[in-house]
Coordinates of all heavy atoms in Angstrom, one line a residue:
M1 N 0.8 -1.2 0.0 CA 0.0 0.0 0.0 C 0.9 1.3 0.0 O 0.6 2.2 -0.7 CB -0.9 0.0 1.2 CG -1.8 1.2 1.3 SD -3.0 1.2 -0.1 CE -3.4 2.9 -0.1
A2 N 1.9 1.3 0.8 CA 2.8 2.5 0.9 C 3.4 2.8 -0.4 O 3.5 4.0 -0.8 CB 3.8 2.3 2.0
E3 N 3.8 1.8 -1.2 CA 4.5 2.0 -2.5 C 3.4 2.6 -3.5 O 3.7 3.5 -4.2 CB 5.1 0.7 -3.0 CG 5.9 0.9 -4.2 CD 6.6 -0.3 -4.7 OE1 6.7 -1.3 -3.9 OE2 7.2 -0.3 -5.8
R4 N 2.2 2.1 -3.5 CA 1.2 2.5 -4.4 C 0.8 4.0 -4.1 O 0.6 4.8 -4.9 CB -0.1 1.7 -4.3 CG 0.1 0.4 -5.1 CD -1.3 -0.3 -5.2 NE -2.0 -0.4 -4.0 CZ -2.2 -1.6 -3.3 NH1 -1.7 -2.7 -3.8 NH2 -2.8 -1.6 -2.2
L5 N 0.7 4.3 -2.8 CA 0.4 5.7 -2.4 C 1.5 6.6 -2.8 O 1.3 7.7 -3.3 CB 0.2 5.7 -0.8 CG -0.2 7.1 -0.3 CD1 -1.5 7.5 -0.8 CD2 -0.2 7.1 1.2
R6 N 2.8 6.2 -2.6 CA 3.9 7.0 -3.0 C 3.9 7.3 -4.5 O 4.1 8.5 -5.0 CB 5.2 6.3 -2.6 CG 6.5 7.1 -2.9 CD 7.7 6.3 -2.4 NE 8.9 7.1 -2.4 CZ 9.7 7.3 -3.4 NH1 9.4 6.6 -4.6 NH2 10.8 8.0 -3.3
E7 N 3.6 6.3 -5.3 CA 3.5 6.5 -6.8 C 2.4 7.4 -7.1 O 2.5 8.3 -8.0 CB 3.4 5.1 -7.5 CG 4.6 4.3 -7.4 CD 4.4 2.9 -7.9 OE1 3.3 2.6 -8.4 OE2 5.3 2.0 -7.7
A8 N 1.2 7.3 -6.5 CA 0.1 8.1 -6.8 C 0.4 9.6 -6.4 O 0.0 10.5 -7.2 CB -1.2 7.6 -6.0
I9 N 1.0 9.8 -5.3 CA 1.4 11.2 -4.9 C 2.3 11.8 -5.9 O 2.1 12.9 -6.4 CB 2.0 11.2 -3.5 CG1 1.1 10.7 -2.4 CG2 2.6 12.5 -3.2 CD1 1.7 10.4 -1.1
G10 N 3.3 11.0 -6.3 CA 4.3 11.5 -7.3 C 3.7 11.8 -8.7 O 4.1 12.8 -9.4
S11 N 2.6 11.1 -9.0 CA 1.9 11.3 -10.3 C 1.0 12.5 -10.3 O 0.8 13.2 -11.3 CB 1.2 10.1 -10.7 OG 2.1 9.0 -11.0
A12 N 0.3 12.7 -9.1 CA -0.8 13.7 -9.1 C -0.4 15.0 -8.5 O -1.2 16.0 -8.7 CB -1.9 13.1 -8.2
F13 N 0.7 15.2 -7.9 CA 1.1 16.4 -7.2 C 2.5 16.9 -7.5 O 3.3 16.1 -7.9 CB 0.9 16.2 -5.7 CG -0.5 15.8 -5.2 CD1 -0.8 14.5 -5.1 CD2 -1.4 16.8 -5.0 CE1 -2.1 14.2 -4.7 CE2 -2.7 16.5 -4.7 CZ -3.0 15.1 -4.5
S14 N 2.7 18.2 -7.3 CA 4.0 18.8 -7.5 C 4.8 18.6 -6.2 O 4.7 19.4 -5.2 CB 3.9 20.2 -7.8 OG 5.2 20.8 -7.9
V15 N 5.5 17.4 -6.1 CA 6.2 17.0 -4.9 C 7.6 16.5 -5.2 O 7.9 16.2 -6.4 CB 5.5 15.9 -4.1 CG1 4.1 16.4 -3.7 CG2 5.4 14.6 -5.0
E16 N 8.5 16.4 -4.2 CA 9.8 15.8 -4.3 C 9.7 14.5 -3.5 O 9.5 14.6 -2.2 CB 10.8 16.7 -3.8 CG 12.2 16.2 -3.9 CD 13.3 17.2 -3.4 OE1 13.1 18.4 -3.5 OE2 14.3 16.7 -2.8
L17 N 9.9 13.4 -4.1 CA 9.8 12.1 -3.4 C 11.2 11.8 -2.8 O 12.1 11.7 -3.6 CB 9.3 11.0 -4.3 CG 7.9 11.2 -4.8 CD1 7.6 10.1 -5.8 CD2 6.9 11.2 -3.7
G18 N 11.3 11.6 -1.5 CA 12.5 11.3 -0.9 C 12.8 9.8 -0.9 O 11.9 9.0 -1.4
R19 N 13.9 9.4 -0.4 CA 14.3 7.9 -0.4 C 13.4 7.2 0.5 O 12.8 7.7 1.5 CB 15.7 7.8 0.0 CG 16.7 8.4 -0.9 CD 18.1 8.0 -0.4 NE 18.2 8.1 1.1 CZ 19.1 8.6 1.8 NH1 20.1 9.3 1.2 NH2 19.1 8.6 3.1
W20 N 13.3 5.9 0.2 CA 12.6 4.9 1.0 C 13.5 4.4 2.1 O 14.6 4.0 1.8 CB 12.1 3.8 0.1 CG 11.2 2.9 0.8 CD1 11.5 2.0 1.8 CD2 9.8 2.7 0.6 NE1 10.3 1.3 2.2 CE2 9.3 1.7 1.4 CE3 8.9 3.4 -0.3 CZ2 7.9 1.4 1.5 CZ3 7.6 3.0 -0.3 CH2 7.1 2.0 0.6
H21 N 13.1 4.4 3.3 CA 13.9 3.9 4.5 C 13.2 2.7 5.0 O 12.1 2.8 5.6 CB 14.1 5.0 5.5 CG 14.8 6.2 5.1 ND1 16.1 6.3 5.0 CD2 14.3 7.4 4.6 CE1 16.5 7.5 4.5 NE2 15.4 8.2 4.3
D22 N 13.8 1.5 4.9 CA 13.2 0.3 5.5 C 13.5 0.1 6.9 O 12.9 -0.7 7.6 CB 13.8 -0.9 4.7 CG 13.2 -1.0 3.3 OD1 12.0 -0.7 3.1 OD2 13.9 -1.5 2.4
E23 N 14.4 0.9 7.5 CA 14.7 0.9 8.9 C 14.3 2.2 9.5 O 14.2 3.2 8.8 CB 16.3 0.7 9.1 CG 16.8 -0.5 8.4 CD 16.5 -1.8 9.2 OE1 16.5 -1.7 10.4 OE2 16.4 -2.8 8.5
P24 N 14.1 2.2 10.8 CA 13.9 3.5 11.5 C 15.0 4.5 11.2 O 16.2 4.1 11.2 CB 13.8 3.1 13.0 CG 13.4 1.7 13.0 CD 14.1 1.1 11.8
V25 N 14.6 5.7 11.0 CA 15.6 6.8 10.7 C 15.2 8.0 11.4 O 14.0 8.4 11.5 CB 15.8 7.0 9.2 CG1 14.5 7.5 8.6 CG2 16.9 8.0 8.9
G26 N 16.2 8.7 12.0 CA 15.9 10.0 12.8 C 14.9 9.7 13.9 O 15.0 8.7 14.6
P27 N 13.9 10.6 13.9 CA 12.9 10.4 15.0 C 11.8 9.4 14.6 O 11.0 9.1 15.5 CB 12.3 11.8 15.0 CG 12.4 12.4 13.7 CD 13.7 11.8 13.2
H28 N 11.9 8.9 13.4 CA 10.8 8.0 13.0 C 11.0 6.5 13.4 O 12.1 6.0 13.1 CB 10.7 8.1 11.4 CG 10.5 9.5 11.0 ND1 9.3 10.1 11.0 CD2 11.4 10.4 10.5 CE1 9.4 11.4 10.6 NE2 10.7 11.6 10.3
P29 N 10.1 5.9 14.1 CA 10.3 4.6 14.7 C 10.1 3.5 13.8 O 10.3 2.3 14.1 CB 9.3 4.6 15.9 CG 8.2 5.5 15.4 CD 8.9 6.6 14.6
T30 N 9.6 3.7 12.6 CA 9.3 2.7 11.6 C 9.8 3.1 10.2 O 10.2 4.2 10.0 CB 7.7 2.4 11.5 OG1 7.1 3.6 11.0 CG2 7.1 2.0 12.8
S31 N 9.7 2.2 9.3 CA 10.1 2.5 7.9 C 9.3 3.6 7.4 O 8.1 3.9 7.9 CB 10.0 1.3 7.0 OG 8.7 0.8 7.0
M32 N 9.8 4.4 6.5 CA 9.1 5.6 6.0 C 9.8 6.1 4.8 O 10.9 5.7 4.4 CB 9.2 6.7 7.1 CG 10.5 7.1 7.7 SD 11.5 8.3 6.6 CE 10.7 9.8 6.9
Y33 N 9.1 7.1 4.1 CA 9.7 7.9 3.1 C 9.2 9.3 3.2 O 8.1 9.5 3.8 CB 9.4 7.3 1.7 CG 7.9 7.1 1.3 CD1 7.2 8.2 0.9 CD2 7.4 5.9 1.5 CE1 5.8 8.0 0.6 CE2 6.0 5.7 1.2 CZ 5.3 6.7 0.7 OH 3.9 6.5 0.4
Q34 N 9.9 10.2 2.7 CA 9.6 11.6 2.8 C 9.0 12.1 1.5 O 9.4 11.7 0.4 CB 10.8 12.5 3.1 CG 10.5 14.0 3.2 CD 11.7 14.8 3.5 OE1 12.9 14.3 3.5 NE2 11.6 16.1 3.7
V35 N 8.0 12.9 1.6 CA 7.4 13.6 0.5 C 7.5 15.1 0.8 O 6.8 15.6 1.7 CB 6.0 13.2 0.2 CG1 5.4 14.0 -0.9 CG2 5.9 11.7 -0.1
A36 N 8.3 15.8 0.1 CA 8.4 17.3 0.3 C 7.6 18.0 -0.7 O 7.5 17.6 -1.9 CB 9.9 17.7 0.2
F37 N 6.8 19.0 -0.2 CA 6.0 19.7 -1.2 C 5.9 21.2 -0.8 O 6.0 21.5 0.4 CB 4.6 19.1 -1.2 CG 3.9 19.0 0.1 CD1 3.0 20.0 0.6 CD2 4.1 17.9 1.0 CE1 2.4 20.0 1.8 CE2 3.4 17.8 2.2 CZ 2.6 18.9 2.6
P38 N 5.7 22.0 -1.8 CA 5.5 23.5 -1.5 C 4.2 23.8 -0.7 O 3.3 23.0 -0.8 CB 5.5 24.1 -2.8 CG 5.2 23.1 -3.8 CD 5.6 21.8 -3.2
V39 N 4.2 24.9 0.0 CA 3.0 25.2 0.8 C 1.8 25.3 -0.1 O 0.7 24.9 0.3 CB 3.3 26.6 1.5 CG1 2.0 27.1 2.2 CG2 4.4 26.4 2.5
A40 N 1.9 25.7 -1.3 CA 0.8 25.8 -2.2 C 0.1 24.5 -2.5 O -1.1 24.5 -2.8 CB 1.2 26.5 -3.6
E41 N 0.8 23.4 -2.3 CA 0.2 22.1 -2.5 C -0.5 21.6 -1.3 O -1.3 20.6 -1.4 CB 1.3 21.0 -2.9 CG 1.7 21.1 -4.3 CD 0.7 20.5 -5.3 OE1 -0.5 20.6 -5.0 OE2 1.1 20.1 -6.4
F42 N -0.3 22.2 -0.2 CA -0.9 21.7 1.1 C -2.5 21.5 1.0 O -3.0 20.5 1.3 CB -0.6 22.6 2.2 CG -1.0 22.1 3.6 CD1 -0.2 21.4 4.4 CD2 -2.3 22.4 4.1 CE1 -0.6 20.9 5.6 CE2 -2.8 21.9 5.3 CZ -1.9 21.2 6.1
P43 N -3.2 22.6 0.5 CA -4.7 22.4 0.5 C -5.2 21.4 -0.5 O -6.3 21.0 -0.5 CB -5.2 23.8 0.1 CG -4.0 24.5 -0.5 CD -2.8 23.9 0.1
R44 N -4.3 20.9 -1.5 CA -4.7 19.9 -2.4 C -4.3 18.5 -1.9 O -5.0 17.5 -1.9 CB -4.1 20.1 -3.8 CG -4.8 21.2 -4.6 CD -4.3 21.3 -6.0 NE -3.1 20.6 -6.4 CZ -3.1 19.5 -7.2 NH1 -4.2 19.0 -7.7 NH2 -2.0 18.9 -7.5
L45 N -3.0 18.4 -1.4 CA -2.4 17.2 -1.1 C -2.9 16.6 0.2 O -3.3 15.4 0.3 CB -0.9 17.3 -1.0 CG -0.1 16.1 -0.6 CD1 -0.4 14.9 -1.5 CD2 1.4 16.4 -0.5
V46 N -3.0 17.4 1.3 CA -3.4 16.8 2.6 C -4.8 16.3 2.6 O -5.0 15.2 3.1 CB -3.1 17.9 3.7 CG1 -3.6 17.4 5.1 CG2 -1.5 18.1 3.8
P47 N -5.8 17.0 2.1 CA -7.1 16.4 2.1 C -7.2 15.1 1.2 O -7.9 14.2 1.6 CB -8.0 17.5 1.4 CG -7.3 18.8 1.8 CD -5.8 18.4 1.7
W48 N -6.4 15.1 0.1 CA -6.3 13.9 -0.7 C -5.8 12.7 0.1 O -6.3 11.6 0.1 CB -5.5 14.2 -1.9 CG -5.5 13.0 -2.9 CD1 -6.3 12.8 -3.9 CD2 -4.5 12.0 -2.9 NE1 -6.0 11.6 -4.6 CE2 -4.8 11.1 -4.0 CE3 -3.4 11.7 -2.1 CZ2 -4.1 10.0 -4.3 CZ3 -2.6 10.5 -2.4 CH2 -3.0 9.7 -3.5
L49 N -4.7 13.0 0.9 CA -4.1 12.0 1.7 C -5.1 11.5 2.8 O -5.1 10.3 3.1 CB -2.8 12.5 2.4 CG -1.6 12.7 1.6 CD1 -0.5 13.4 2.3 CD2 -1.1 11.3 1.1
M50 N -5.9 12.4 3.3 CA -6.9 12.0 4.3 C -7.8 11.0 3.8 O -8.2 10.1 4.5 CB -7.7 13.3 4.8 CG -6.8 14.3 5.5 SD -7.7 15.8 5.8 CE -8.5 15.5 7.3
L51 N -8.2 11.1 2.5 CA -9.1 10.2 1.9 C -8.5 8.9 1.3 O -9.2 8.0 1.0 CB -10.0 10.9 0.9 CG -10.8 12.1 1.4 CD1 -11.4 12.8 0.3 CD2 -11.8 11.5 2.4
N52 N -7.2 9.0 1.0 CA -6.5 8.0 0.2 C -5.4 7.3 0.9 O -4.6 6.5 0.2 CB -6.1 8.5 -1.1 CG -7.3 9.0 -2.0 OD1 -7.9 8.2 -2.6 ND2 -7.5 10.3 -2.0
R53 N -5.2 7.5 2.2 CA -4.0 6.9 2.8 C -4.0 5.4 3.1 O -3.0 4.8 3.5 CB -3.7 7.7 4.1 CG -4.8 7.5 5.2 CD -4.5 8.4 6.4 NE -5.6 8.3 7.4 CZ -5.7 7.3 8.3 NH1 -4.7 6.4 8.3 NH2 -6.7 7.2 9.1
G54 N -5.2 4.8 2.9 CA -5.3 3.4 3.0 C -4.9 2.8 4.3 O -4.4 1.8 4.4
G55 N -5.3 3.6 5.4 CA -5.0 3.1 6.7 C -3.5 3.4 7.2 O -3.2 3.1 8.3
L56 N -2.7 3.9 6.3 CA -1.3 4.2 6.7 C -1.3 5.4 7.7 O -2.2 6.3 7.6 CB -0.5 4.5 5.5 CG -0.3 3.4 4.5 CD1 0.4 3.9 3.2 CD2 0.5 2.3 5.1
R57 N -0.3 5.5 8.5 CA -0.1 6.6 9.4 C 0.8 7.6 8.7 O 1.9 7.2 8.2 CB 0.6 6.2 10.7 CG -0.2 5.2 11.4 CD 0.6 4.7 12.6 NE -0.1 3.5 13.2 CZ 0.2 3.1 14.4 NH1 1.1 3.7 15.2 NH2 -0.4 2.0 14.9
I58 N 0.4 8.8 8.6 CA 1.2 9.9 7.9 C 1.4 11.0 8.8 O 0.5 11.6 9.4 CB 0.4 10.3 6.6 CG1 0.2 9.1 5.7 CG2 1.1 11.4 5.9 CD1 -0.7 9.4 4.5
L59 N 2.7 11.4 8.9 CA 3.1 12.6 9.6 C 3.3 13.7 8.6 O 4.1 13.6 7.7 CB 4.4 12.3 10.4 CG 5.1 13.5 11.1 CD1 4.2 14.0 12.2 CD2 6.4 13.1 11.6
V60 N 2.6 14.9 8.9 CA 2.8 16.1 8.0 C 3.4 17.1 8.9 O 2.8 17.4 10.0 CB 1.5 16.5 7.5 CG1 1.6 17.8 6.6 CG2 0.8 15.4 6.6
H61 N 4.5 17.7 8.5 CA 5.1 18.8 9.3 C 5.9 19.7 8.4 O 6.3 19.4 7.4 CB 6.0 18.2 10.4 CG 7.3 17.5 9.9 ND1 8.4 18.3 9.5 CD2 7.6 16.2 9.8 CE1 9.3 17.4 9.2 NE2 8.8 16.2 9.3
P62 N 6.0 21.0 8.9 CA 6.8 22.0 8.1 C 8.3 21.7 8.3 O 8.7 20.9 9.1 CB 6.4 23.3 8.8 CG 6.1 22.9 10.2 CD 5.5 21.6 10.1
Q63 N 9.1 22.4 7.6 CA 10.5 22.4 7.7 C 11.0 23.8 8.0 O 11.4 24.6 7.1 CB 11.2 21.8 6.5 CG 10.9 20.4 6.4 CD 11.8 19.6 5.5 OE1 12.9 20.1 5.1 NE2 11.5 18.4 5.2
T64 N 11.0 24.2 9.3 CA 11.3 25.6 9.6 C 12.7 25.8 10.0 O 13.2 26.9 10.2 CB 10.4 26.0 10.9 OG1 10.9 25.2 12.0 CG2 9.0 25.8 10.7
G65 N 13.5 24.7 10.1 CA 14.9 24.8 10.6 C 15.0 24.3 12.0 O 16.1 24.2 12.5
D66 N 13.9 24.2 12.7 CA 13.9 23.6 14.0 C 13.2 22.3 14.0 O 12.0 22.1 14.1 CB 13.2 24.5 15.0 CG 13.3 24.1 16.5 OD1 13.3 22.9 16.7 OD2 13.3 25.0 17.3
A67 N 14.0 21.2 13.8 CA 13.5 19.9 13.6 C 12.7 19.4 14.8 O 11.7 18.7 14.6 CB 14.7 18.9 13.3
Y68 N 13.1 19.8 16.0 CA 12.4 19.4 17.2 C 10.9 19.9 17.2 O 10.0 19.2 17.3 CB 13.1 19.8 18.5 CG 12.3 19.3 19.7 CD1 12.5 18.1 20.3 CD2 11.4 20.2 20.3 CE1 11.8 17.7 21.4 CE2 10.6 19.7 21.4 CZ 10.9 18.5 21.9 OH 10.2 18.1 23.0
E69 N 10.8 21.2 17.0 CA 9.5 21.8 17.0 C 8.7 21.4 15.8 O 7.5 21.2 15.9 CB 9.6 23.3 17.1 CG 10.0 23.8 18.4 CD 9.7 25.3 18.6 OE1 9.1 26.0 17.7 OE2 10.1 25.8 19.7
D70 N 9.3 21.2 14.7 CA 8.6 20.7 13.5 C 7.9 19.4 13.7 O 6.8 19.1 13.3 CB 9.5 20.6 12.3 CG 10.0 21.9 11.7 OD1 9.4 22.9 12.1 OD2 10.9 21.9 10.9
H71 N 8.6 18.5 14.4 CA 8.1 17.1 14.7 C 7.2 17.1 16.0 O 6.2 16.3 16.0 CB 9.2 16.1 14.9 CG 9.9 15.8 13.6 ND1 10.9 16.6 13.0 CD2 9.7 14.7 12.7 CE1 11.3 16.0 11.9 NE2 10.6 14.9 11.7
A72 N 7.5 17.9 17.0 CA 6.9 17.7 18.3 C 5.7 18.7 18.5 O 4.8 18.4 19.2 CB 7.9 17.9 19.4
I73 N 5.8 19.9 17.9 CA 4.8 20.9 18.1 C 3.9 21.2 16.9 O 2.7 21.4 17.0 CB 5.5 22.2 18.7 CG1 6.2 21.9 20.0 CG2 4.5 23.3 18.8 CD1 7.1 23.0 20.5
H74 N 4.6 21.3 15.7 CA 3.9 21.8 14.5 C 3.3 20.7 13.7 O 2.8 20.9 12.6 CB 4.8 22.7 13.7 CG 5.4 23.8 14.4 ND1 4.6 24.8 15.1 CD2 6.6 24.2 14.6 CE1 5.4 25.7 15.6 NE2 6.6 25.3 15.4
A75 N 3.5 19.4 14.1 CA 3.1 18.3 13.3 C 1.6 18.0 13.3 O 0.9 18.3 14.3 CB 3.9 17.0 13.8
V76 N 1.1 17.4 12.3 CA -0.2 16.9 12.1 C -0.1 15.4 11.7 O 0.6 15.1 10.8 CB -1.0 17.7 11.1 CG1 -2.4 17.1 10.8 CG2 -1.1 19.1 11.4
W77 N -0.9 14.6 12.4 CA -0.9 13.1 12.1 C -2.2 12.8 11.3 O -3.3 13.3 11.7 CB -0.8 12.3 13.3 CG 0.6 12.2 13.9 CD1 1.1 12.9 14.8 CD2 1.5 11.2 13.5 NE1 2.4 12.5 15.1 CE2 2.7 11.4 14.2 CE3 1.6 10.1 12.5 CZ2 3.8 10.7 14.1 CZ3 2.7 9.4 12.4 CH2 3.8 9.7 13.2
L78 N -2.1 12.0 10.3 CA -3.3 11.4 9.7 C -3.2 9.9 10.1 O -2.3 9.2 9.8 CB -3.2 11.5 8.1 CG -3.0 12.9 7.6 CD1 -2.9 12.9 6.1 CD2 -4.1 13.8 8.0
G79 N -4.2 9.5 10.9 CA -4.2 8.2 11.5 C -3.6 8.3 12.9 O -3.4 9.4 13.4
T80 N -3.4 7.1 13.5 CA -3.0 7.1 14.9 C -1.5 7.5 14.9 O -0.6 7.0 14.2 CB -3.1 5.6 15.4 OG1 -4.4 5.2 15.3 CG2 -2.7 5.6 16.9
P81 N -1.2 8.5 15.8 CA 0.2 9.0 15.9 C 1.1 7.9 16.4 O 0.7 7.0 17.2 CB 0.1 10.1 16.9 CG -1.3 10.5 16.9 CD -2.1 9.3 16.6
L82 N 2.4 7.9 16.0 CA 3.4 7.0 16.5 C 4.3 7.8 17.5 O 4.5 9.0 17.3 CB 4.3 6.5 15.4 CG 3.7 5.6 14.4 CD1 4.6 5.4 13.2 CD2 3.5 4.2 15.1
P83 N 4.8 7.2 18.5 CA 5.8 7.9 19.4 C 7.1 8.2 18.6 O 7.7 7.2 18.1 CB 5.9 6.9 20.5 CG 5.6 5.6 20.0 CD 4.6 5.8 18.9
L84 N 7.5 9.4 18.6 CA 8.7 9.8 17.9 C 9.9 9.8 18.8 O 9.7 10.1 20.0 CB 8.5 11.1 17.2 CG 7.4 11.2 16.1 CD1 7.3 12.6 15.6 CD2 7.7 10.2 15.0
R85 N 11.0 9.6 18.3 CA 12.3 9.6 19.1 C 12.8 11.1 18.9 O 13.6 11.3 18.0 CB 13.3 8.6 18.6 CG 12.7 7.2 18.7 CD 13.6 6.1 18.2 NE 13.9 6.5 16.8 CZ 14.6 5.7 15.9 NH1 15.0 4.5 16.3 NH2 14.8 6.1 14.7
L86 N 12.4 12.0 19.8 CA 12.7 13.4 19.6 C 14.0 13.8 20.2 O 14.5 14.9 19.9 CB 11.6 14.2 20.2 CG 10.2 14.0 19.6 CD1 9.1 14.6 20.5 CD2 10.1 14.4 18.2
E87 N 14.6 13.0 21.1 CA 15.7 13.5 21.9 C 17.0 13.9 21.0 O 17.7 14.7 21.4 CB 16.2 12.4 22.9 CG 16.5 11.1 22.3 CD 15.3 10.2 22.0 OE1 14.2 10.5 22.5 OE2 15.5 9.2 21.3
G88 N 17.1 13.4 19.8 CA 18.3 13.7 19.0 C 18.0 14.8 18.0 O 18.9 15.1 17.2
L89 N 16.9 15.4 18.0 CA 16.5 16.4 17.0 C 17.2 17.7 17.3 O 17.2 18.2 18.5 CB 15.0 16.6 16.8 CG 14.3 15.4 16.2 CD1 12.8 15.7 16.1 CD2 14.9 15.0 14.9
R90 N 17.6 18.4 16.3 CA 18.3 19.7 16.4 C 17.2 20.8 16.7 O 16.2 20.8 16.0 CB 19.0 20.0 15.1 CG 19.8 21.3 15.1 CD 20.6 21.4 13.8 NE 19.9 21.1 12.6 CZ 19.2 22.0 11.9 NH1 19.3 23.3 12.2 NH2 18.6 21.7 10.8
R91 N 17.5 21.7 17.6 CA 16.7 22.8 17.9 C 17.3 24.1 17.4 O 18.6 24.2 17.5 CB 16.4 22.9 19.4 CG 15.7 21.7 19.9 CD 15.2 21.9 21.2 NE 13.9 22.6 21.1 CZ 13.0 22.6 22.0 NH1 13.1 22.0 23.1 NH2 11.8 23.2 21.8
R92 N 16.5 25.0 16.8 CA 17.1 26.2 16.4 C 17.4 27.1 17.6 O 16.6 27.1 18.6 CB 16.0 26.9 15.5 CG 16.5 28.2 14.9 CD 15.6 28.8 13.9 NE 14.2 28.7 14.2 CZ 13.2 28.7 13.3 NH1 13.5 28.8 12.1 NH2 12.0 28.6 13.7
A93 N 18.5 27.8 17.5 CA 18.9 28.6 18.7 C 18.1 29.8 18.8 O 17.5 30.3 17.9 CB 20.4 29.0 18.5

């Protein structure tokens, strides 16, 4: 399901598809891939994900330069949130 969703996102939206990680990486406790998109795509992409995520858990967050706040404070989850490993994230001074 995750691979099909990734392909559909790449075909339908103006996004940058990141690498697939089969192992936990950074604060993410499970396998994942990143989809970066401009703010202008938010009102199209996020509602589409809400309806088409196929039961997958999706973390949506900005990239402000403060990785801790982006993941811990400014994040939105589609589906049941996962506990993130936040202790190693960089904070903006």
Side-chain angles (χ1 to χ4, degrees):
M1 180 65 202
E3 187 172 349
R4 282 193 308 252
L5 182 63
R6 185 176 189 272
E7 290 172 8
I9 293 167
S11 296
F13 299 95
S14 176
V15 299
E16 181 181 329
L17 298 175
R19 294 185 325 226
W20 190 288
H21 298 278
D22 287 324
E23 303 284 328
V25 61
H28 306 280
T30 62
S31 58
M32 55 80 72
Y33 55 83
Q34 178 182 7
V35 176
F37 57 92
V39 172
E41 281 287 27
F42 187 94
R44 285 187 348 108
L45 176 58
V46 174
W48 184 89
L49 287 170
M50 294 168 88
L51 298 173
N52 295 282
R53 64 186 178 83
L56 296 171
R57 300 173 192 200
I58 299 175
L59 173 64
V60 179
H61 67 78
Q63 294 200 6
T64 66
D66 187 323
Y68 181 88
E69 287 198 2
D70 290 347
H71 287 81
I73 298 170
H74 305 305
V76 173
W77 281 94
L78 305 179
T80 304
L82 289 170
L84 298 176
R85 301 175 305 187
L86 300 171
E87 57 278 349
L89 292 180
R90 183 173 47 95
R91 297 193 85 157
R92 185 172 39 204

